[in-house]
Amino acid sequence: MMRTRTRIGLRGLASAIVLALAGVLLGYLCFRSAIVEALPSNAPVLAQLAPHDPGVVLDNAATALVQRHGILDPATLAAVRRAALAAPLDARAFLVLGHQQLLDRRPDRAVTTLEAGQRLDPRDRVIHLLLLDRYLRTGRYADAAAQFSVSARLGEAGGPIAAAMAQMSLAPETRDAVRRTLGTDPALERAVLVALARSNAAPATLFALASPTARREAGGTEGWGPALIDRLVAQGHYAEARAVWQKVYGLSDAQVAAPLFDPGFAELPGSPPFNWALTAGMVGAADIRNGTLAIDYYGRDSGELASQLLVLPPGAWRFEFTVEGSKTAAGPSLSWSLQCASGNKAEMMNALVAATGMRHREAANFTVPAGCAAQRLALSGNAGEFPTPMNVTIRDLVLRPAAGER
């Protein structure tokens, strides 16, 4: 009887110990799972705590795929294959293995693998790129267009997609395919061209890629023309930007050669910054009316009302304009200024727009120094001690070399 009780007690103790160990193991597994989720995959502690966790393996492999330009060692690939079996719903395994199949020259198998990965994660940009390249190379234009459309809707038409597009549009084997694919969807073509305009793609690439319709629509407010021009100006490529601006808006050589564009305020075609940029806001409003620049300056805050980017060669210049407006007392004022668009942005001119109550002519001389590739002409309101509104009309601007410089 005693022995029976002893055996029962021992069995109960053994069961308790097993349950306790199972609880500890379960707690450890939960703890490890939580740590894996909380820490980045490159955290040193994960290399010791969960080196074979599928998520850690696939995260590291996907990162290495980018860092090593697509070349992974056999050990990493073997680990990815094991992780793929343990985590069959993780798209990163399909990305890595599909890319390796491309390297192994098994494109059909690679496309199948990548398409399976895309079904698991439709937002993976690298899979988009790889499939896009394969579709273009094999003439699957409808599928390529679908890849472009999804990327555009996800806001990913820029960055890697745009860079890949630039390369594909230059490569002989994909250039025509890219053009044909974009031709199937005008909205998609506009989105891709805008993305390319904001990337480092050469202007010639965009003009060659754009369809006749896209070239005609390039100058729209949200078009790829202004985006390309703004990017070139921001990079300091002023002459190239002005040449693109002329081509986008179909301007004549005589119009572009003039020192000041649209000096008579005829509302000629062309976007800023090489045409007039007019302000309407808290400072005031500038409008073109019947061949004049009409200024309503509120006199409360200082700020720009109109501006234009110029590309004058070094030398002496003379700026003239006609002004008409009600006479104002001491306080707020208007003035034209000119400064270099780059470098130390030194100011070369500051001409007061004097409102005397009568129409009269004003003039100012200035010198463009060497090394000042572009200049910014701006009309600004300057607030005084007491806010007094000003209504002024400016017309008949003339910008020419000063006497002796013609």
Side-chain angles (χ1 to χ4, degrees):
M1 189 70 170
M2 182 66 69
R3 290 179 181 176
T4 301
R5 291 178 179 175
T6 301
R7 288 195 204 100
I8 294 174
L10 290 175
R11 283 198 299 269
L13 178 61
S15 298
I17 292 173
V18 170
L19 290 174
L21 290 175
V24 171
L25 178 60
L26 179 61
Y28 170 74
L29 292 175
C30 292
F31 168 76
R32 189 180 70 172
S33 178
I35 290 296
V36 169
E37 291 294 327
L39 293 177
S41 61
N42 58 357
V45 67
L46 290 185
Q48 299 176 353
L49 185 63
H52 303 300
D53 181 89
V56 174
V57 170
L58 294 176
D59 202 4
N60 289 335
T63 301
L65 189 71
V66 176
Q67 294 177 342
R68 301 175 191 174
H69 305 288
I71 306 301
L72 299 181
D73 58 84
T76 300
L77 289 172
V80 169
R81 291 187 180 95
R82 290 192 297 270
L85 295 174
L89 299 181
D90 196 316
R92 292 172 295 184
F94 293 86
L95 166 62
V96 174
L97 297 178
H99 182 269
Q100 186 61 38
Q101 289 163 351
L102 288 174
L103 295 180
D104 294 339
R105 297 186 178 181
R106 293 189 291 164
D108 293 340
R109 180 61 181 167
V111 168
T112 300
T113 302
L114 292 169
E115 286 175 340
Q118 190 170 70
R119 286 192 291 271
L120 293 171
D121 184 3
R123 301 180 67 89
D124 191 295
R125 291 182 297 177
V126 181
I127 291 180
H128 273 294
L129 273 176
L130 294 175
L131 285 175
L132 173 61
D133 180 73
R134 292 312 310 166
Y135 292 157
L136 289 173
R137 291 178 187 275
T138 54
R140 295 173 59 177
Y141 305 121
D143 291 329
Q147 293 294 322
F148 281 132
S149 296
V150 172
S151 299
R153 287 197 299 271
L154 293 175
E156 296 169 355
I161 296 291
M165 278 294 303
Q167 293 301 317
M168 291 176 188
S169 62
L170 291 173
E173 63 270 25
T174 54
R175 181 175 53 221
D176 292 337
V178 169
R179 188 180 297 109
R180 288 178 60 181
T181 299
L182 294 182
T184 65
D185 189 335
L188 176 61
E189 181 182 30
R190 286 192 295 270
V192 172
L193 287 171
V194 169
L196 286 172
R198 292 171 178 164
S199 73
N200 285 322
T205 299
L206 278 86
F207 283 106
L209 186 62
S211 66
T213 299
R215 286 195 291 271
R216 287 194 299 270
E217 298 175 350
T221 304
E222 302 297 329
W224 59 269
L228 176 59
I229 294 163
D230 289 345
R231 189 250 293 178
L232 293 172
V233 167
Q235 293 173 336
H237 304 317
Y238 303 112
E240 186 177 21
R242 195 168 176 86
V244 169
W245 177 71
Q246 177 181 7
K247 190 171 183 179
V248 166
Y249 294 101
L251 302 171
S252 68
D253 290 341
Q255 288 174 315
V256 175
L260 182 64
F261 187 74
D262 196 12
F265 302 109
E267 298 189 86
L268 299 178
S271 66
F274 297 110
N275 198 352
W276 292 110
L278 305 178
T279 296
M282 297 297 293
V283 174
D287 297 294
I288 293 178
R289 302 174 191 166
N290 302 319
T292 69
L293 180 62
I295 301 297
D296 294 320
Y297 174 47
Y298 306 145
R300 294 188 298 267
D301 303 302
S302 298
E304 288 187 2
L305 294 161
S307 65
Q308 185 179 139
L309 189 66
L310 313 179
V311 286
L312 304 176
W317 293 84
R318 183 174 178 83
F319 178 58
E320 301 176 3
F321 58 95
T322 296
V323 58
E324 181 178 6
S326 57
K327 187 176 181 180
T328 58
S333 63
L334 296 169
S335 62
W336 287 103
S337 65
L338 188 77
Q339 62 180 156
C340 286
S342 59
N344 62 5
K345 299 186 178 180
E347 187 172 80
M348 293 165 277
M349 180 191 76
N350 194 299
L352 184 67
V353 179
T356 63
M358 298 180 62
R359 180 184 299 186
H360 64 286
R361 196 79 174 155
E362 297 276 1
N365 294 326
F366 62 91
T367 300
V368 176
C372 181
Q375 309 82 34
R376 196 162 184 278
L377 177 68
L379 176 68
S380 299
N382 312 294
E385 184 176 359
F386 301 103
T388 305
M390 293 182 66
N391 301 108
V392 172
T393 299
I394 298 173
R395 69 178 75 229
D396 302 327
L397 272 59
V398 172
L399 180 58
R400 58 177 175 79
E405 295 288 332
R406 299 185 183 184

